[in-house]
Amino acid sequence: MDEAAFRHALAALRADRRHGASELARQALALLAASCQSLAALDDDRLRTELERRCCLLAGCRPSMAVVANLLQLWRQRLYQPAAAAGKLADGLAAQAQAVAAASLAASQAAARHMARRLRPGQCLITHSASSTLRLLFAELAPARLRLIVSESRPLNEGVGLAAELLRLGHEVRLITDAQLGLFVAEADLALVGADSLLVDGSIVNKAGTRLLALAARADGVPFYCCCEGFKVTAQTRADLAREQMDPAELGHDCLPLTAQRNLYFDCTEASLVSAWVTEAGVSARPPAPLTGC
Amino acid sequence: MDEAAFRHALAALRADRRHGASELARQALALLAASCQSLAALDDDRLRTELERRCCLLAGCRPSMAVVANLLQLWRQRLYQPAAAAGKLADGLAAQAQAVAAASLAASQAAARHMARRLRPGQCLITHSASSTLRLLFAELAPARLRLIVSESRPLNEGVGLAAELLRLGHEVRLITDAQLGLFVAEADLALVGADSLLVDGSIVNKAGTRLLALAARADGVPFYCCCEGFKVTAQTRADLAREQMDPAELGHDCLPLTAQRNLYFDCTEASLVSAWVTEAGVSARPPAPLTGC
């Protein structure tokens, strides 16, 4: 993976609207593993310097997704450990990138299993956006045939793809516009979302619209759960949050000047609206603590 | 207007997604006026019977829009009054239909003027859907150059047309997805919507998404106003509400079976979320009373 290929992959990661935060974080680690292998001919000092530079670029590319920076920071802590054997530093760092990605996937799977144990067949869930952790959950629960209400999640409508996947799994599905969240939430036993980041106070950074679902759930007495890997917790507060603004052309309204359109991707749901946080550590009414060292 | 033409016009009214409740109510009155003229050759008894039948069909065609039934009921009360002169019943009833429509328009204009007096140049307003009463208000306030945040209002995006109109009037406009309402409401001095109906307790029946805006406004301490003609007040309660379900094909997701999609047009915003109701009677912190006889 030479510099041009790396830059190209970095730009693709920055522009990716299809994959969730966990998936993008694991892709970033895969880019580092590939970089280790292609830079293996460098001496150890130059290898570390070059990898650190790439790691920093990757860590900053999706500021609303704490899991990207967190997992890269976990890997970076190993960068200056001595190599197991002479000339083996690159191999060792590549293996560690793969190990961190595997730990992230295992954490998401464990969170999904904890959540699954809280659900009963035939229960009605409402969700917004399309979290990869919830996809693991819904796949595991396919024989239970849940009743799922899914919002389309404008502008890119990832909820439509999720609804199609859930239908294939055999669940009962109702796809609604985001605007109907306040109409349908009262029919649900539980509102359930993933997260792009969890702030230190338990607030949830997630696709715009999540906060509206949480407000409606609170108004209608429906519990609101957030399920994701603990690697998403950040020491950031709401004041630190970058507001990721995507291309307004994604809204698809060519008749209006783009300067008069806004496309903020993520909103922040206050912790007071969250009934429980579900991570690999289990289901808790208290927000998970940030990872040490991240 | 023979029976076939009337049936055709009735079907168009039922399917109309472009015009607001007030405009459709006035169109229904125009259909009655045209019916009066085309049925004028009937004797008075048969004329009344036929007009009453058409009036009932029109009154039931948009159950979420109380103003349609209310204005038609006002006209219907005059149906059995004696004609001013022999053979003049049809002319008199046509004129009365036009007078009721004019009263409705005048009420909307008066409500818009009361609201306008509450606003100052440069204030920031957030709105959802595209109310004809608010259009009157925004046109009147064009020299004041408001800052307006408008949601697209899926599925048919009437907010996009409103945003274009507001830009032409010289206001500063930001068009957002419905999902971003919870992000942008905190920037507004006031949230402002029209209504399709006002229930007797002050709850607002309006385009789906209105309730989410009201919940977010309450959470962020932004006043939430509803501005419309008093002819929209109905004695109905939330339990009486018909849930108008439109064609799910309007969502535009051909990849999913239509049976798995929902397209409910109206939600109901609880009166406790409303800061003030603005009608031709003025601005009030108490909901307007229903019209007597409606």
Side-chain angles (χ1 to χ4, degrees):
Chain A
M1 168 155 278
D2 65 14
E3 180 65 15
F6 174 75
R7 287 275 169 186
H8 185 79
L10 181 70
L13 212 62
R14 192 176 278 126
D16 192 318
R17 305 281 171 275
R18 283 199 316 119
H19 294 96
S22 293
E23 290 163 319
L24 295 179
R26 291 172 215 143
Q27 278 183 30
L29 287 162
L31 289 178
L32 282 182
S35 296
C36 290
Q37 274 141 5
S38 67
L39 299 169
L42 297 179
D43 65 57
D44 285 3
D45 279 353
R46 289 184 57 206
L47 177 68
R48 286 188 169 109
T49 303
E50 176 58 18
L51 285 173
E52 178 141 30
R53 190 183 64 85
R54 291 192 179 188
C55 184
C56 285
L57 286 169
L58 288 165
C61 80
R62 296 306 294 264
S64 301
M65 298 174 169
V67 64
V68 176
N70 282 352
L71 294 184
L72 292 174
Q73 176 60 13
L74 278 182
W75 174 83
R76 194 166 160 272
Q77 288 166 2
R78 297 167 188 186
L79 194 54
Y80 292 94
Q81 289 174 356
K88 292 289 184 191
L89 180 63
D91 285 353
L93 288 172
Q96 282 172 343
Q98 288 156 355
V100 172
S104 156
L105 180 60
S108 291
Q109 289 168 329
R113 276 196 303 273
H114 284 299
M115 189 68 228
R117 283 196 283 271
R118 282 285 169 119
L119 300 174
R120 293 187 303 280
Q123 271 197 316
C124 182
L125 266 62
I126 187 165
T127 190
H128 179 67
S129 193
S131 140
S132 61
T133 311
L134 297 195
R135 283 190 144 111
L136 296 170
L137 169 74
F138 296 138
E140 182 167 331
L141 288 177
R145 199 176 154 80
L146 297 168
R147 291 180 297 128
L148 295 161
I149 303 169
V150 179
S151 57
E152 54 188 7
S153 306
R154 288 269 294 150
L156 290 191
N157 295 330
E158 62 267 26
V160 180
L162 175 64
E165 193 176 314
L166 294 171
L167 281 171
R168 280 194 299 274
L169 288 169
H171 296 295
E172 182 190 310
V173 176
R174 284 174 285 173
L175 179 82
I176 60 173
T177 56
D178 303 335
Q180 292 174 86
L181 283 167
L183 263 164
F184 278 89
V185 69
E187 296 185 24
D189 298 300
L190 191 80
L192 180 61
V193 297
D196 285 282
S197 297
L198 284 182
L199 303 188
V200 66
D201 71 344
S203 299
I204 302 168
V205 178
N206 200 43
K207 181 77 182 272
T210 301
R211 183 179 184 235
L212 295 174
L213 173 58
L215 286 164
R218 172 59 51 98
D220 289 337
V222 175
F224 180 87
Y225 278 45
C226 175
C227 177
C228 67
E229 55 181 300
F231 292 115
K232 289 190 171 171
V233 183
T234 162
Q236 286 186 323
T237 64
R238 180 186 287 248
D240 305 319
L241 267 187
R243 283 163 54 114
E244 276 196 50
Q245 156 89 17
M246 306 303 179
D247 186 353
E250 284 183 2
L251 270 58
H253 303 308
D254 303 340
C255 57
L256 284 183
L258 290 183
T259 51
Q261 300 184 47
R262 293 293 179 277
N263 187 15
L264 295 183
Y265 244 58
F266 303 101
D267 63 20
C268 182
T269 300
E270 42 272 55
S272 59
L273 297 174
V274 182
S275 311
W277 291 262
V278 187
T279 68
E280 63 275 21
V283 180
S284 172
R286 296 211 306 195
L291 296 168
T292 52
C294 285
Chain B
M1 168 153 277
D2 65 12
E3 179 65 14
F6 173 76
R7 286 276 169 186
H8 185 77
L10 180 71
L13 212 62
R14 191 176 280 127
D16 192 317
R17 303 282 171 275
R18 283 199 316 119
H19 294 95
S22 294
E23 291 163 317
L24 294 179
R26 292 173 215 143
Q27 279 183 29
L29 286 162
L31 289 178
L32 282 182
S35 296
C36 290
Q37 274 140 5
S38 67
L39 299 168
L42 298 179
D43 66 57
D44 285 2
D45 279 354
R46 289 185 56 207
L47 177 67
R48 286 188 170 109
T49 304
E50 176 57 18
L51 285 173
E52 178 141 29
R53 189 183 65 84
R54 291 192 178 187
C55 184
C56 284
L57 287 169
L58 288 165
C61 80
R62 296 305 294 265
S64 301
M65 298 174 170
V67 64
V68 176
N70 282 353
L71 294 184
L72 292 174
Q73 176 62 13
L74 278 181
W75 175 83
R76 195 165 159 272
Q77 287 167 2
R78 296 166 189 186
L79 194 55
Y80 293 94
Q81 289 174 355
K88 291 289 186 191
L89 180 63
D91 287 351
L93 288 171
Q96 282 172 343
Q98 287 155 357
V100 171
S104 156
L105 181 59
S108 291
Q109 289 167 329
R113 275 194 304 273
H114 284 299
M115 189 67 227
R117 284 196 283 270
R118 281 286 169 118
L119 300 174
R120 293 186 304 281
Q123 272 196 317
C124 183
L125 267 62
I126 189 165
T127 189
H128 180 67
S129 194
S131 139
S132 61
T133 310
L134 297 195
R135 284 190 144 111
L136 295 171
L137 169 75
F138 296 138
E140 183 168 329
L141 288 177
R145 199 177 155 80
L146 297 168
R147 292 181 295 128
L148 295 161
I149 304 168
V150 179
S151 57
E152 54 188 8
S153 307
R154 287 270 294 150
L156 290 192
N157 295 330
E158 62 268 26
V160 181
L162 176 64
E165 194 175 314
L166 294 171
L167 281 170
R168 280 193 300 273
L169 288 169
H171 296 295
E172 183 191 310
V173 175
R174 284 175 285 173
L175 179 82
I176 60 173
T177 56
D178 303 334
Q180 291 175 87
L181 282 168
L183 264 164
F184 278 89
V185 70
E187 297 185 24
D189 298 299
L190 192 80
L192 180 61
V193 298
D196 286 282
S197 297
L198 284 182
L199 303 188
V200 66
D201 72 344
S203 298
I204 301 167
V205 179
N206 201 43
K207 181 76 182 272
T210 301
R211 183 179 184 235
L212 295 174
L213 173 58
L215 286 164
R218 172 59 51 97
D220 288 338
V222 175
F224 181 86
Y225 279 45
C226 175
C227 177
C228 68
E229 55 182 300
F231 293 116
K232 288 188 171 170
V233 184
T234 162
Q236 286 186 323
T237 65
R238 181 185 287 250
D240 306 318
L241 268 186
R243 283 164 52 116
E244 275 195 50
Q245 156 89 17
M246 307 303 179
D247 186 353
E250 284 183 2
L251 270 57
H253 304 308
D254 303 341
C255 57
L256 284 182
L258 291 183
T259 50
Q261 300 183 46
R262 292 294 179 276
N263 187 15
L264 296 184
Y265 244 58
F266 304 101
D267 63 20
C268 183
T269 300
E270 41 273 55
S272 60
L273 297 173
V274 182
S275 311
W277 292 261
V278 186
T279 68
E280 63 276 19
V283 181
S284 172
R286 297 211 304 196
L291 296 168
T292 51
C294 283

